Amino acid sequence: MNRPLVGTLATAVLGAAALVGTAGTAGATTHPGKAAQTQEQAQQQAHRLVAKAPSLGKSKGKHKTKAVDFAGTVALSNCSGSIVKMPTSQENDPALVMSNGHCLEEGMPGAGEVVVDKPSSRSFTVLDANAGDLGTIKATKIAYATMTDTDVSLYETGSTYAEIEQKYKIKPLELATEHPAQGAGISVVSGYWKKIYSCNIDGFVHTLKEGDWTWKDSVRYTPECKTIGGTSGSPVVDTTSGKVAAINNTGNESGEECTVNNPCEVDENGKVTVRKGINYAQQTYGIPKCFGVGNKLDLSAEGCELPKPSAARR
């Protein structure tokens, strides 16, 4: 996984970043994704990152692209995320923050586990268009989280969209409601690293397997998106529509097959393919069908296909 950065490792990364003049936030954990493996690698990584200015996402196609910046994104203590709205969300609804399921403050959900309506007081750093820190908003609960079929967490916050816009002049990102297209230009916007990765959708994976977890119809990036630990939870923005098409979550780091931090692709016939250095995201177009009036989760709504908690976990 694009792992979150925690403990002494996060301190080492941020310390290295500070030495070269950056003010990034902490963040990346150890999960199906990516993270610095050693303190030395973390320091080298920080130097490489701050040496590069964020690039704006542009697709390679003929469609007119939208400039992509950091407005609407947030930094978590260990990952990236974004303030998101559904097509039906209203300005006075409680704002939602989206990240990965493997970025939960309590640790990664097990295979088959679904978390709903769990109290949380997690804080999120709100960024402006240029990745400057504006302040924080705080969660009231984990509305939904899982690493089954997808890798997502959605926090309900104590602030409305209107309150966030009034205080920080920031609007939320909107979730797309249609399946993304192969070849589409995308930008992976990391609030943790304050960096934008730009590439295209290379294709879709029937089943992506990593350790105990499996994800369905995952997005595979073209090689240009070399996401790293701390980018977990970054919104994947379609550069034509400007809407969120997916959520960044993992990549194969060392060429191993189906192990943690080394996901493998499994096709409809069970054939396994390993793509070392290639990164992935989970689609989000189905999520809006699971939220109703007032941004309230409704897993029984028509068309909602998010995994449901077992009776024992309700």
Side-chain angles (χ1 to χ4, degrees):
M1 296 167 224
N2 290 121
R3 314 178 203 175
L5 304 175
V6 293
T8 56
L9 178 57
T11 302
V13 174
L14 294 175
L19 290 175
V20 287
T22 186
T25 57
T29 58
T30 302
H31 25 90
K34 311 180 156 192
Q37 299 288 313
T38 66
Q39 190 175 77
E40 180 180 2
Q41 288 174 331
Q43 292 171 331
Q44 293 173 347
Q45 185 180 80
H47 282 279
R48 289 198 303 270
L49 285 171
V50 296
K52 298 180 180 180
S55 58
L56 294 180
K58 294 183 179 295
S59 75
K60 296 180 180 179
K62 299 179 180 179
H63 297 290
K64 184 176 181 180
T65 61
K66 295 180 181 294
V68 176
D69 57 33
F70 294 91
T73 66
V74 299
L76 284 68
S77 60
N78 61 346
C79 287
S80 301
S82 56
I83 304 168
V84 296
K85 61 173 289 189
M86 310 298 163
T88 56
S89 296
Q90 302 298 310
E91 63 176 11
N92 290 319
D93 289 342
L96 299 172
V97 168
M98 184 174 73
S99 188
N100 283 146
H102 76 249
C103 292
L104 289 181
E105 61 268 40
E106 60 197 41
M108 295 182 288
E113 183 178 0
V114 175
V115 178
V116 295
D117 293 330
K118 185 171 185 177
S120 173
S121 58
R122 193 168 197 179
S123 293
F124 311 99
T125 301
V126 181
L127 304 182
D128 65 18
N130 297 312
D133 294 354
L134 293 174
T136 60
I137 55 176
K138 184 172 286 189
T140 58
K141 67 179 180 180
I142 301 168
Y144 183 87
T146 192
M147 288 177 65
T148 300
D149 294 349
T150 185
D151 184 4
V152 67
S153 59
L154 287 149
Y155 290 84
E156 183 177 300
T157 73
S159 304
T160 66
Y161 297 116
E163 289 169 341
I164 293 171
E165 184 172 3
Q166 180 179 25
K167 185 174 183 179
Y168 297 129
K169 312 303 180 190
I170 292 297
K171 292 181 179 293
L173 300 177
E174 184 173 337
L175 296 186
T177 57
E178 296 182 354
H179 193 290
Q182 186 171 0
I186 53 174
S187 289
V188 183
V189 190
S190 173
Y192 182 86
W193 284 115
K194 300 184 176 182
K195 179 177 175 63
I196 297 175
Y197 301 79
S198 299
C199 60
N200 294 76
I201 294 177
D202 184 53
F204 304 97
V205 182
H206 181 264
T207 299
L208 191 65
K209 179 174 175 57
E210 180 172 344
D212 294 334
W213 299 275
T214 56
W215 304 303
K216 298 178 179 178
D217 199 18
S218 302
V219 172
R220 180 176 60 241
Y221 305 147
T222 52
E224 295 82 8
C225 278
K226 300 184 183 300
T227 51
I228 60 173
T231 63
S232 288
S234 299
V236 179
V237 180
D238 183 296
T239 56
T240 297
S241 69
K243 297 180 180 180
V244 178
I247 179 172
N248 180 68
N249 83 308
T250 195
N252 188 294
E253 294 181 352
S254 58
E256 294 180 7
E257 182 177 302
C258 311
T259 62
V260 173
N261 304 317
N262 292 284
C264 62
E265 301 181 11
V266 184
D267 69 14
E268 295 90 334
N269 300 314
K271 179 183 177 182
V272 175
T273 301
V274 173
R275 301 178 192 269
K276 181 180 178 180
I278 294 300
N279 298 291
Y280 303 89
Q282 303 308 309
Q283 298 183 48
T284 53
Y285 72 96
I287 291 176
K289 293 181 179 179
C290 303
F291 282 80
V293 175
N295 271 354
K296 297 302 180 185
L297 178 70
D298 182 3
L299 294 176
S300 64
E302 183 178 357
C304 176
E305 296 184 356
L306 285 176
K308 299 173 176 57
S310 66
R313 295 191 180 101
R314 286 185 183 276

